[in-house]
Amino acid sequence: MGEIIKNRYDFVVLFDVENGNPNGDPDAGNMPRIDMETNCGIVTDVCLKRKIRNYVEAVKEGEDGYRIYIKENVPLNRSDAEAYQSLNADPKKIKEEKKKTEDFDLKVRDYMCENFFDIRTFGAVMTTFVKDNLNCGQVRGPVQLGFAKSVDAIIPQEITITRVAITTEKDAEGKKTEMGRKYIVPYGLYHVEGYISANLARKVTGFSEEDLELLWQAIINMFELDHSAARGNMSVRKLIVFKHNSEFGNAPAYQLFERIKVKRKDETKPARCFGDYEVEIDSADMPDGVECIEKL
């Protein structure tokens, strides 16, 4: 899968939404997620990883080593079983198989990392004791994302919509239209921080330089293959990467993230586009061994 990464990375992604719902909350009628204390918008790490997975799956189309483990309509046990099949192992006789095959658990884990991009990247819990005694272990991935949070408070709007198509014959007798509603954020600029551990890549998953370049590509384009009326216009605006010249890093991540300042140009009116913000990156006098790279 190529040369394993040798450098630690910390990165920041700025993305925005216009007239859309970036991440609905099922506990609140699919209203955009918000921090109840600050009213800042939230997008979960799970949501962002889903978009990265979808992009990789689309551009690689099942290419060897770049399949996706967490995907729609594919039971996890089906993928787990492949690792056992690669070793000609019977999951119903797991104790005997472990005695027969040296480093059995390690070989099963390595098979999953080699074949599934998202396991190699984000890690996975592959202990699925359902029906068959399949256990591929737990993998802590080198790439971790936090929750995205909007720079400013957002005010979700509930938009009433109508349609001329009637659902049933009975309804058609008494009405000509049906009502519905959708939630949107008129505009929001979101900020998310990420981390890449070269140590975990080397010791656990084998995350490579090729994987890293694909990850940057997927982050930059994660909304380009995900457009829908519900999500409005969503775009990645900035990808700022801090590259350390060592495996364990040369400076705390928070010190690097604090070098990025995002502020509204005019505080007297609400932001309605990315141009309403200024992004300042203090890349002068970086800590020794750290390079700031603007990928976008």
Side-chain angles (χ1 to χ4, degrees):
M1 299 304 298
E3 184 181 6
I4 296 174
I5 62 170
K6 295 182 172 62
N7 306 86
R8 194 187 99 186
Y9 295 86
D10 303 303
F11 61 93
V12 170
V13 182
L14 296 177
F15 65 89
D16 62 1
V17 58
E18 180 183 356
N19 293 329
N21 185 351
N23 187 199
D25 184 350
D27 290 327
N30 208 43
M31 184 183 80
R33 296 181 190 269
I34 61 171
D35 180 331
M36 300 302 293
E37 293 183 329
T38 65
N39 286 327
C40 286
I42 292 173
V43 174
T44 66
D45 61 317
V46 174
C47 175
L48 297 175
K49 289 176 183 177
R50 175 77 273 146
K51 298 181 192 319
I52 292 171
R53 286 184 172 102
N54 289 347
Y55 180 85
V56 171
E57 183 176 26
V59 298
K60 290 297 185 179
E61 293 189 348
E63 183 179 324
D64 288 346
Y66 291 95
R67 293 164 59 200
I68 298 299
Y69 180 66
I70 306 294
K71 61 185 296 184
E72 187 177 5
N73 297 325
V74 179
L76 300 181
N77 267 0
R78 186 185 301 172
S79 299
D80 295 339
E82 292 183 20
Y84 282 72
Q85 293 168 4
S86 72
L87 298 174
N88 296 317
D90 184 351
K92 297 180 180 179
K93 300 178 180 179
I94 190 64
K95 291 184 179 179
E96 293 84 348
E97 297 291 356
K98 288 185 177 182
K99 292 178 181 178
K100 184 173 63 176
T101 305
E102 185 178 358
D103 295 327
F104 180 86
D105 291 337
L106 184 61
K107 289 178 179 178
V108 167
R109 185 200 72 184
D110 288 348
Y111 175 90
M112 300 301 284
C113 289
E114 289 170 7
N115 284 274
F116 295 93
F117 173 83
D118 54 339
I119 296 177
R120 199 163 59 247
T121 304
F122 303 124
V125 177
M126 300 173 288
T127 52
T128 54
F129 296 107
V130 181
K131 190 178 179 180
D132 296 321
N133 189 27
L134 294 170
N135 179 7
C136 296
Q138 300 183 28
V139 174
R140 183 182 173 193
V143 180
Q144 299 298 327
L145 288 171
F147 277 22
K149 191 173 183 179
S150 65
V151 175
D152 292 315
I154 62 170
I155 303 178
Q157 295 184 9
E158 186 178 33
I159 307 297
T160 301
I161 57 177
T162 62
R163 71 176 186 185
V164 296
I166 305 302
T167 304
T168 67
E169 291 288 347
K170 184 177 180 180
D171 288 341
E173 296 174 2
K175 57 183 179 181
K176 294 184 178 180
T177 61
E178 289 193 340
M179 307 290 288
R181 56 178 55 87
K182 63 190 297 186
Y183 286 105
I184 66 165
V185 176
Y187 183 80
L189 179 63
Y190 289 74
H191 169 285
V192 62
E193 297 166 353
Y195 315 84
I196 302 178
S197 168
N199 182 251
L200 287 174
R202 175 177 60 83
K203 293 168 63 176
V204 182
T205 74
F207 186 77
S208 68
E209 294 289 346
E210 289 84 352
D211 293 330
L212 180 64
E213 289 306 312
L214 178 58
L215 176 67
W216 298 143
Q217 179 185 344
I219 290 174
I220 291 171
N221 294 286
M222 63 181 170
F223 300 119
E224 298 306 311
L225 302 182
D226 190 62
H227 292 300
S228 74
R231 281 183 281 279
N233 296 323
M234 295 188 68
S235 303
V236 173
R237 296 293 187 165
K238 288 284 185 181
L239 171 56
I240 304 157
V241 177
F242 296 98
K243 179 180 180 180
H244 302 252
N245 69 4
S246 67
E247 179 178 301
F248 295 99
N250 301 80
Y254 77 89
Q255 292 183 359
L256 305 176
F257 294 151
E258 287 177 351
R259 290 173 170 267
I260 301 172
K261 305 294 184 184
V262 183
K263 59 183 180 180
R264 208 158 69 236
K265 294 178 181 178
D266 187 349
E267 298 285 348
T268 64
K269 62 180 182 179
R272 284 297 181 265
C273 67
F274 182 66
D276 290 335
Y277 286 91
E278 286 182 336
V279 180
E280 297 178 358
I281 306 170
D282 181 9
S283 57
D285 300 322
M286 293 291 295
D288 290 340
V290 180
E291 178 185 3
C292 179
I293 305 169
E294 290 189 58
K295 293 284 186 179
L296 183 65

